[in-house]
Amino acid sequence: MSPGKQAAARRKMDMGHMIEKPPPPIFPGYLMPIHSQAKRLLRTLTGVAVAAVTLPGASTAIAATATPDPFYEYTDSTPLSSYAPGTVLKTRTITYRILGLATPLKATQLLYRSVDVQMRPVANVTTVVKPWCLLCLNKNKVVSYQSFYDSLNPEDSPSRSIAGGKRLPDLIPGVETALFAPFLLQGYTIIIPDTEGPKANFAAGPEYGYHTLNSIRAALKSPELGLPSNTKVAMIGYSGGAIASEWAAELAPTYAPDVNQKLIGSAIGGVLVHPDHNLDYIQGSPIWGGVAGMALIGVGRSFDLNLPQYLSEKGLALHEKMKNQSIVNVLGQYPDLYWKDIVKPEYENRLKLGAYVDSVNKVIMGTGGTPTTPMFIGQGTGGELEGTKASPIWGKGDGVMLAGDVRTLARQYCAKGVQIEHKEYALSHFTSIAVWLPQAIGWVNDRFRNKPVPQNCASIQPGNPLDPVVALP
């Protein structure tokens, strides 16, 4: 085979799977006109991100401990509960930083009133980045970007990273800057909420949704931001960001109808639908096994469960080690981790643990309501590429999320009249995003352009039942 033909053949391969075409670049020219100023901004952001990781001394900076920041504390004498959700409590303007290195961007951070999963008032933070433009013809277009920072430590939130965090977990929001840059370059305003809240309640889906919706409320109300009354909002998120975006979409019609009127759609990928199914799927897997422990701690914390009383000695040691960790400290570190090994013998069948059953049933997607705005949903099925075998019960996934669960959620929403475009990729969780992202960007742009909404409800294949877990005596 000639070198040219060999190169063409290689372009058709993606992690061992044949695809018709290589995925388009993340910033394809046909998605947006990028003028010279915008190109310079993109080059600068990319350069800062690379420098943050590669400059001498970067490893020392990354290992540094975050400094406490009084901006995150609500200290007024007025009870927090007396404010409406979304009320702005504090405002500050900062330089947007990637692993501590300054970019040309300025960001507005808002401390705002929100609620946790039990509807108790809390103060949370969101970051808003306005476009770098003179005329700003798209100033009424807002994208709420939900991060996949996935951590049990509040210090790892996007707002702290953007304000100057130099720790290893701060790399995630830094990299994500490139993911939402295409919208910023078009003149859209970007909202980046701390979706897990002030306690970093990882995997507590409804809480993610409340913080996302109240973040949008706060941005719309902020006089410093000055967003126009005709502002429209699209939500986008992958993996942990998909948890936030999906829950916000399903909760919005009842919890935040004012925000729902502004929403034009949500694009999500790599979706956690039924966490109990995912526990079956990922336990024992070489890369993703530890994430089940993170979810157990995060959801347990959100519902005030006293987890240690149910744990074995191994489970107690795991809990102590993991309770403040980021996903970057967990991936690939806990192979062969199984539920039965971390709980006391009487709870080896998790359906006999009532506290687990009650909590896990409250974080099944689709149980909080039904979206009234369109959705683009992408999901990988090539989990074997990341070492996760197909579940004998729940089928294939992307290594951490189950495709059958996602299909059923999509079909469930289709049956209720939601306009859904659903796609599956023969790729893993890490590799699916390369295909999903340009599709999601194009889909969101089309919603702002009022193009007809694509949907393929009739062709979505049946998936797994999403019934609540039933406790055993």
Side-chain angles (χ1 to χ4, degrees):
M1 184 181 293
S2 68
K5 290 183 178 179
Q6 289 176 349
R10 283 195 298 270
R11 286 195 296 270
K12 291 181 180 179
M13 299 295 293
D14 188 271
M15 297 297 290
H17 288 267
M18 295 295 293
I19 55 178
E20 289 185 7
K21 298 178 181 179
I26 290 178
F27 312 125
Y30 60 82
L31 286 182
M32 74 286 290
I34 302 180
H35 52 69
S36 58
Q37 185 185 40
K39 286 182 178 179
R40 286 196 299 271
L41 175 59
L42 182 56
R43 285 197 297 268
T44 302
L45 292 176
T46 303
V48 169
V50 172
V53 180
T54 60
L55 279 176
S59 59
T60 302
I62 291 172
T65 301
T67 304
D69 188 338
F71 180 75
Y72 290 78
E73 302 299 324
Y74 176 73
T75 56
D76 267 11
S77 59
T78 304
L80 189 57
S81 59
S82 67
Y83 294 108
T87 298
V88 178
L89 307 170
K90 293 182 186 179
T91 302
R92 70 178 179 186
T93 300
I94 62 167
T95 296
Y96 193 108
R97 296 178 182 271
I98 298 176
L99 280 179
L101 297 183
T103 75
L105 296 173
K106 296 294 183 182
T108 301
Q109 293 193 322
L110 309 174
L111 182 75
Y112 63 97
R113 199 272 211 191
S114 190
V115 295
D116 66 12
V117 75
Q118 299 185 61
M119 302 301 289
R120 297 173 298 199
V122 296
N124 198 46
V125 174
T126 191
T127 302
V128 184
V129 186
K130 299 196 74 175
W132 204 30
C133 55
L134 296 176
L135 297 178
C136 293
L137 299 178
N138 288 325
K139 61 183 180 181
N140 65 334
K141 297 179 174 65
V142 172
V143 171
S144 184
Y145 176 86
Q146 283 60 251
S147 168
F148 48 76
Y149 65 104
D150 300 348
S151 180
L152 291 164
N153 189 342
E155 296 291 344
D156 300 335
S157 64
S159 65
R160 292 181 184 268
S161 298
I162 292 166
K166 300 176 184 178
R167 301 158 63 251
L168 180 59
D170 295 315
L171 179 62
I172 294 176
V175 169
E176 288 183 298
T177 305
L179 306 188
F180 62 72
F183 298 118
L184 196 61
L185 297 178
Q186 293 179 91
Y188 300 173
T189 296
I190 312 297
I191 303 174
I192 312 153
D194 292 352
T195 53
E196 296 180 6
K199 294 184 178 179
N201 290 331
F202 174 69
E207 182 162 341
Y208 285 37
Y210 295 136
H211 293 318
T212 299
L213 292 169
N214 288 322
S215 162
I216 295 171
R217 277 173 163 156
L220 293 172
K221 293 177 180 179
S222 168
E224 284 80 5
L225 294 175
L227 294 172
S229 59
N230 66 340
T231 293
K232 295 297 181 183
V233 182
M235 298 188 293
I236 186 169
Y238 188 84
S239 192
I243 297 175
S245 302
E246 195 287 332
W247 275 100
E250 71 173 78
L251 291 169
T254 53
Y255 175 73
D258 52 322
V259 175
N260 197 55
Q261 291 178 353
K262 301 287 187 180
L263 295 179
I264 59 171
S266 306
I268 59 176
V271 189
L272 175 64
V273 177
H274 197 305
D276 184 68
H277 295 180
N278 290 76
L279 176 56
D280 283 330
Y281 178 50
I282 66 173
Q283 63 177 340
S285 64
I287 295 178
W288 293 101
V291 176
M294 287 184 65
L296 182 64
I297 294 170
V299 174
R301 191 157 66 193
S302 71
F303 289 106
D304 295 327
L305 303 185
N306 181 16
L307 283 179
Q309 66 180 312
Y310 308 116
L311 302 179
S312 65
E313 287 189 15
K314 180 177 180 179
L316 287 169
L318 178 80
H319 183 275
E320 185 63 24
K321 182 178 180 181
M322 192 182 283
K323 64 183 180 182
N324 292 311
Q325 286 191 322
S326 161
I327 195 169
V328 301
N329 308 118
V330 171
L331 289 177
Q333 300 302 306
Y334 298 90
D336 302 317
L337 181 65
Y338 290 87
W339 169 275
K340 64 181 178 61
D341 297 327
I342 64 172
V343 295
K344 293 177 179 178
E346 58 266 38
Y347 303 120
E348 285 187 7
N349 184 336
R350 61 184 184 272
L351 300 186
K352 292 186 177 181
L353 182 51
Y356 168 82
V357 171
D358 290 343
S359 300
V360 80
N361 282 338
K362 293 175 182 175
V363 293
I364 301 172
M365 284 185 177
T367 59
T370 302
T372 58
T373 51
M375 301 188 76
F376 173 78
I377 306 174
Q379 178 60 47
T381 61
E384 293 86 354
L385 295 170
E386 291 171 13
T388 309
K389 297 178 181 178
S391 167
I393 304 171
W394 310 116
K396 290 184 176 183
D398 62 7
V400 60
M401 311 302 187
L402 284 160
D405 287 5
V406 176
R407 289 197 301 272
T408 298
L409 181 71
R411 287 167 59 91
Q412 176 179 307
Y413 286 161
C414 284
K416 295 180 179 180
V418 184
Q419 295 171 296
I420 301 287
E421 183 177 11
H422 170 268
K423 291 184 179 293
E424 288 189 351
Y425 317 112
L427 298 168
S428 67
H429 195 72
F430 290 131
T431 56
S432 288
I433 191 172
V435 181
W436 171 84
L437 182 61
Q439 293 176 348
I441 290 172
W443 186 90
V444 168
N445 282 331
D446 284 347
R447 302 292 71 74
F448 282 121
R449 294 166 182 158
N450 295 315
K451 290 189 176 182
V453 179
Q455 55 181 317
N456 60 345
C457 286
S459 64
I460 302 173
Q461 297 300 305
N464 303 320
L466 299 181
D467 301 325
V469 178
V470 178
L472 296 177

